[in-house]
Amino acid sequence: MQKNTRRQTAAQNRGFYIILTVCAIAIAISGYVLFFAPISNEASMDSVEYVPDLPQTTWEPKEDVLQDPIDNLLDDDESLQTSLEDNSLDDTLDTSLETSSEVTEPTINETDETTTSTVSEEPEETEQTASTTPVWVRPTDGEVSQAFSGTKLIYQETFGDWRVHAGTDYAGNAGDHVYAVQNGEVTDVSNDSLWGCSVTIKLSDNRTAIYRGLNEDAKVKTGSKVSAGDVIGTIAELVPAEASQSAHLHFELLDADGVPVDPEA
């Protein structure tokens, strides 16, 4: 019995060593093939084509992938996302338009007020201009019988020669009133054999008015202040220098430089 047991134990030990030896030999062969076989056969990994074991599919972008950056941007900017969700941008635009309207209205009103003010002031300026324009009154009520000739020579019947007519003759009747043509001051009242009584007035616009052929009882004297329309005298029956004509007023008007001008111009 003991012999059989020993035999079995020896057989088991022998089998264990055999397996162990076989394993060692297998390991040795594998190591040789792995490390020494390529070098000895002058093999190289360059000739080996590497093919990765990847799925053969074509990548296509998806809408979700393109939308992600926008979603992320909206997620990061909470205020912008809230504005878009609550339509606050429309409210802001409406508020801006209302504000712009409120700002514009006063400007229009101010413009209207300025225009109204300007329109209302224009008549005042016109009235002021009119009030500063000297009033002019005809020297007598009669019509012109002999016009002002300027530098043109005309035939003078009284003296029988050709000469300029430096004044304007107004037809009338003896005793007709003669008026101050404008506001001014009497600078001379005189009498001579050619023109009879003459009155000279310095007018408010710096011109000079000379009345000839008046009666000697003049209504003014040197230094008198007169207003347009005041009676300064009356027409005489005859003007010696122009005796060929009936009763009339010989009226002369000189500009600021003393040059005769036409009072009817």
Side-chain angles (χ1 to χ4, degrees), residues 81-112:
Q81 184 175 6
T82 304
S83 299
L84 291 175
E85 292 175 355
D86 297 339
N87 294 327
S88 61
L89 290 178
D90 293 338
D91 296 338
T92 302
L93 180 59
D94 294 339
T95 304
S96 299
L97 291 175
E98 293 176 359
T99 303
S100 176
S101 177
E102 294 176 359
V103 172
T104 304
E105 289 177 357
T107 303
I108 294 174
N109 293 336
E110 291 175 359
T111 303
D112 292 341

Short mmCIF file of all heavy atoms in Angstrom, two decimals, residues 81-112:
data_model
loop_
_atom_site.label_atom_id
_atom_site.label_comp_id
_atom_site.label_asym_id
_atom_site.label_seq_id
_atom_site.Cartn_x
_atom_site.Cartn_y
_atom_site.Cartn_z
N GLN A 81 -30.01 86.86 -23.05
CA GLN A 81 -31.00 85.79 -23.21
C GLN A 81 -32.34 86.24 -22.62
O GLN A 81 -33.39 86.02 -23.20
CB GLN A 81 -30.51 84.52 -22.49
CG GLN A 81 -31.44 83.31 -22.70
CD GLN A 81 -30.86 82.05 -22.08
OE1 GLN A 81 -29.85 82.14 -21.41
NE2 GLN A 81 -31.50 80.94 -22.30
N THR A 82 -32.28 86.93 -21.47
CA THR A 82 -33.51 87.41 -20.84
C THR A 82 -34.21 88.44 -21.72
O THR A 82 -35.42 88.45 -21.87
CB THR A 82 -33.19 88.01 -19.47
OG1 THR A 82 -32.53 87.05 -18.69
CG2 THR A 82 -34.47 88.48 -18.78
N SER A 83 -33.38 89.31 -22.35
CA SER A 83 -33.95 90.34 -23.23
C SER A 83 -34.64 89.73 -24.43
O SER A 83 -35.70 90.16 -24.85
CB SER A 83 -32.84 91.27 -23.71
OG SER A 83 -32.25 91.91 -22.62
N LEU A 84 -34.02 88.65 -24.99
CA LEU A 84 -34.63 88.00 -26.14
C LEU A 84 -35.90 87.27 -25.76
O LEU A 84 -36.88 87.26 -26.50
CB LEU A 84 -33.63 87.01 -26.76
CG LEU A 84 -32.41 87.64 -27.45
CD1 LEU A 84 -31.44 86.55 -27.89
CD2 LEU A 84 -32.83 88.48 -28.61
N GLU A 85 -35.89 86.62 -24.58
CA GLU A 85 -37.07 85.87 -24.16
C GLU A 85 -38.23 86.79 -23.80
O GLU A 85 -39.38 86.51 -24.08
CB GLU A 85 -36.73 84.98 -22.96
CG GLU A 85 -35.77 83.85 -23.30
CD GLU A 85 -35.36 83.07 -22.07
OE1 GLU A 85 -35.75 83.47 -20.96
OE2 GLU A 85 -34.67 82.07 -22.23
N ASP A 86 -37.92 87.95 -23.19
CA ASP A 86 -38.98 88.84 -22.73
C ASP A 86 -39.34 89.91 -23.74
O ASP A 86 -40.12 90.81 -23.45
CB ASP A 86 -38.55 89.50 -21.42
CG ASP A 86 -38.34 88.48 -20.32
OD1 ASP A 86 -38.90 87.36 -20.43
OD2 ASP A 86 -37.63 88.83 -19.35
N ASN A 87 -38.70 89.86 -24.96
CA ASN A 87 -38.91 90.89 -25.99
C ASN A 87 -38.58 92.28 -25.46
O ASN A 87 -39.22 93.27 -25.79
CB ASN A 87 -40.35 90.87 -26.50
CG ASN A 87 -40.67 89.60 -27.26
OD1 ASN A 87 -39.81 89.04 -27.92
ND2 ASN A 87 -41.91 89.14 -27.14
N SER A 88 -37.55 92.35 -24.59
CA SER A 88 -37.17 93.65 -24.01
C SER A 88 -36.53 94.55 -25.04
O SER A 88 -36.52 95.76 -24.88
CB SER A 88 -36.22 93.43 -22.83
OG SER A 88 -35.04 92.80 -23.28
N LEU A 89 -35.96 93.97 -26.13
CA LEU A 89 -35.36 94.80 -27.17
C LEU A 89 -36.43 95.64 -27.86
O LEU A 89 -36.21 96.81 -28.18
CB LEU A 89 -34.63 93.93 -28.19
CG LEU A 89 -33.35 93.24 -27.69
CD1 LEU A 89 -32.77 92.38 -28.80
CD2 LEU A 89 -32.33 94.27 -27.23
N ASP A 90 -37.61 95.03 -28.10
CA ASP A 90 -38.70 95.79 -28.71
C ASP A 90 -39.14 96.92 -27.79
O ASP A 90 -39.43 98.03 -28.22
CB ASP A 90 -39.88 94.87 -29.02
CG ASP A 90 -39.52 93.88 -30.12
OD1 ASP A 90 -38.58 94.16 -30.88
OD2 ASP A 90 -40.20 92.84 -30.20
N ASP A 91 -39.21 96.59 -26.47
CA ASP A 91 -39.60 97.63 -25.51
C ASP A 91 -38.59 98.75 -25.50
O ASP A 91 -38.94 99.93 -25.42
CB ASP A 91 -39.72 97.02 -24.11
CG ASP A 91 -40.85 95.98 -24.05
OD1 ASP A 91 -41.75 96.05 -24.91
OD2 ASP A 91 -40.81 95.14 -23.15
N THR A 92 -37.30 98.37 -25.57
CA THR A 92 -36.24 99.40 -25.58
C THR A 92 -36.36 100.29 -26.80
O THR A 92 -36.21 101.50 -26.73
CB THR A 92 -34.86 98.73 -25.55
OG1 THR A 92 -34.77 97.90 -24.40
CG2 THR A 92 -33.76 99.79 -25.51
N LEU A 93 -36.64 99.66 -27.98
CA LEU A 93 -36.79 100.43 -29.21
C LEU A 93 -37.97 101.37 -29.11
O LEU A 93 -37.90 102.52 -29.51
CB LEU A 93 -36.95 99.48 -30.40
CG LEU A 93 -37.11 100.14 -31.77
CD1 LEU A 93 -35.90 101.01 -32.08
CD2 LEU A 93 -37.29 99.09 -32.85
N ASP A 94 -39.10 100.87 -28.56
CA ASP A 94 -40.26 101.73 -28.40
C ASP A 94 -39.96 102.90 -27.48
O ASP A 94 -40.37 104.03 -27.72
CB ASP A 94 -41.45 100.92 -27.86
CG ASP A 94 -41.92 99.88 -28.86
OD1 ASP A 94 -41.62 100.05 -30.07
OD2 ASP A 94 -42.59 98.93 -28.45
N THR A 95 -39.23 102.60 -26.38
CA THR A 95 -38.87 103.66 -25.44
C THR A 95 -38.00 104.70 -26.09
O THR A 95 -38.15 105.90 -25.89
CB THR A 95 -38.14 103.06 -24.23
OG1 THR A 95 -38.97 102.06 -23.63
CG2 THR A 95 -37.83 104.15 -23.20
N SER A 96 -37.04 104.24 -26.95
CA SER A 96 -36.14 105.17 -27.65
C SER A 96 -36.93 106.07 -28.58
O SER A 96 -36.67 107.26 -28.68
CB SER A 96 -35.07 104.40 -28.43
OG SER A 96 -34.29 103.63 -27.56
N LEU A 97 -37.92 105.46 -29.30
CA LEU A 97 -38.73 106.25 -30.22
C LEU A 97 -39.56 107.27 -29.47
O LEU A 97 -39.70 108.41 -29.89
CB LEU A 97 -39.64 105.33 -31.04
CG LEU A 97 -38.94 104.43 -32.06
CD1 LEU A 97 -39.94 103.49 -32.71
CD2 LEU A 97 -38.20 105.25 -33.09
N GLU A 98 -40.12 106.86 -28.30
CA GLU A 98 -40.90 107.80 -27.51
C GLU A 98 -40.03 108.94 -27.01
O GLU A 98 -40.43 110.09 -27.02
CB GLU A 98 -41.53 107.07 -26.32
CG GLU A 98 -42.60 106.05 -26.75
CD GLU A 98 -43.13 105.28 -25.55
OE1 GLU A 98 -42.64 105.53 -24.43
OE2 GLU A 98 -44.03 104.46 -25.74
N THR A 99 -38.81 108.59 -26.55
CA THR A 99 -37.89 109.62 -26.06
C THR A 99 -37.54 110.59 -27.17
O THR A 99 -37.50 111.80 -26.99
CB THR A 99 -36.62 108.97 -25.51
OG1 THR A 99 -36.98 108.05 -24.50
CG2 THR A 99 -35.69 110.06 -24.95
N SER A 100 -37.27 110.02 -28.38
CA SER A 100 -36.93 110.89 -29.52
C SER A 100 -38.08 111.82 -29.85
O SER A 100 -37.89 112.97 -30.16
CB SER A 100 -36.56 110.03 -30.73
OG SER A 100 -36.32 110.82 -31.84
N SER A 101 -39.31 111.29 -29.77
CA SER A 101 -40.47 112.11 -30.06
C SER A 101 -40.62 113.22 -29.04
O SER A 101 -40.92 114.35 -29.36
CB SER A 101 -41.72 111.24 -30.09
OG SER A 101 -42.86 112.02 -30.30
N GLU A 102 -40.37 112.86 -27.75
CA GLU A 102 -40.48 113.86 -26.70
C GLU A 102 -39.45 114.96 -26.87
O GLU A 102 -39.71 116.12 -26.61
CB GLU A 102 -40.32 113.20 -25.34
CG GLU A 102 -41.46 112.24 -25.00
CD GLU A 102 -41.21 111.53 -23.69
OE1 GLU A 102 -40.15 111.78 -23.07
OE2 GLU A 102 -42.06 110.75 -23.29
N VAL A 103 -38.25 114.62 -27.32
CA VAL A 103 -37.20 115.62 -27.49
C VAL A 103 -37.48 116.52 -28.69
O VAL A 103 -37.19 117.69 -28.69
CB VAL A 103 -35.83 114.92 -27.65
CG1 VAL A 103 -34.77 115.94 -28.02
CG2 VAL A 103 -35.46 114.19 -26.37
N THR A 104 -38.09 115.93 -29.74
CA THR A 104 -38.32 116.69 -30.97
C THR A 104 -39.44 117.70 -30.80
O THR A 104 -39.39 118.78 -31.35
CB THR A 104 -38.66 115.72 -32.12
OG1 THR A 104 -37.60 114.78 -32.24
CG2 THR A 104 -38.83 116.48 -33.43
N GLU A 105 -40.48 117.35 -30.01
CA GLU A 105 -41.64 118.23 -29.89
C GLU A 105 -41.28 119.62 -29.39
O GLU A 105 -41.68 120.61 -29.96
CB GLU A 105 -42.69 117.58 -29.01
CG GLU A 105 -43.38 116.40 -29.70
CD GLU A 105 -44.37 115.72 -28.78
OE1 GLU A 105 -44.47 116.14 -27.61
OE2 GLU A 105 -45.05 114.78 -29.24
N PRO A 106 -40.45 119.72 -28.28
CA PRO A 106 -40.11 121.08 -27.84
C PRO A 106 -39.37 121.87 -28.90
O PRO A 106 -39.54 123.06 -29.01
CB PRO A 106 -39.22 120.83 -26.61
CG PRO A 106 -39.59 119.47 -26.15
CD PRO A 106 -39.95 118.71 -27.40
N THR A 107 -38.52 121.16 -29.68
CA THR A 107 -37.76 121.85 -30.72
C THR A 107 -38.69 122.46 -31.75
O THR A 107 -38.54 123.59 -32.18
CB THR A 107 -36.79 120.88 -31.41
OG1 THR A 107 -35.95 120.30 -30.42
CG2 THR A 107 -35.95 121.60 -32.45
N ILE A 108 -39.74 121.70 -32.14
CA ILE A 108 -40.71 122.20 -33.12
C ILE A 108 -41.48 123.38 -32.53
O ILE A 108 -41.71 124.38 -33.18
CB ILE A 108 -41.67 121.07 -33.54
CG1 ILE A 108 -40.89 119.98 -34.30
CG2 ILE A 108 -42.82 121.61 -34.40
CD1 ILE A 108 -41.71 118.78 -34.63
N ASN A 109 -41.86 123.24 -31.25
CA ASN A 109 -42.59 124.31 -30.62
C ASN A 109 -41.77 125.58 -30.53
O ASN A 109 -42.25 126.67 -30.76
CB ASN A 109 -43.03 123.88 -29.21
CG ASN A 109 -44.07 122.78 -29.25
OD1 ASN A 109 -44.77 122.65 -30.24
ND2 ASN A 109 -44.17 121.99 -28.18
N GLU A 110 -40.45 125.38 -30.17
CA GLU A 110 -39.57 126.54 -30.09
C GLU A 110 -39.44 127.21 -31.45
O GLU A 110 -39.43 128.43 -31.58
CB GLU A 110 -38.20 126.13 -29.57
CG GLU A 110 -38.24 125.72 -28.09
CD GLU A 110 -36.88 125.21 -27.64
OE1 GLU A 110 -35.97 125.19 -28.49
OE2 GLU A 110 -36.74 124.87 -26.46
N THR A 111 -39.36 126.38 -32.50
CA THR A 111 -39.24 126.94 -33.85
C THR A 111 -40.49 127.72 -34.21
O THR A 111 -40.43 128.81 -34.78
CB THR A 111 -39.01 125.83 -34.87
OG1 THR A 111 -37.84 125.11 -34.50
CG2 THR A 111 -38.83 126.40 -36.28
N ASP A 112 -41.68 127.14 -33.86
CA ASP A 112 -42.92 127.83 -34.16
C ASP A 112 -42.99 129.15 -33.42
O ASP A 112 -43.42 130.17 -33.96
CB ASP A 112 -44.11 126.94 -33.77
CG ASP A 112 -44.20 125.73 -34.67
OD1 ASP A 112 -43.60 125.76 -35.78
OD2 ASP A 112 -44.86 124.77 -34.29
#
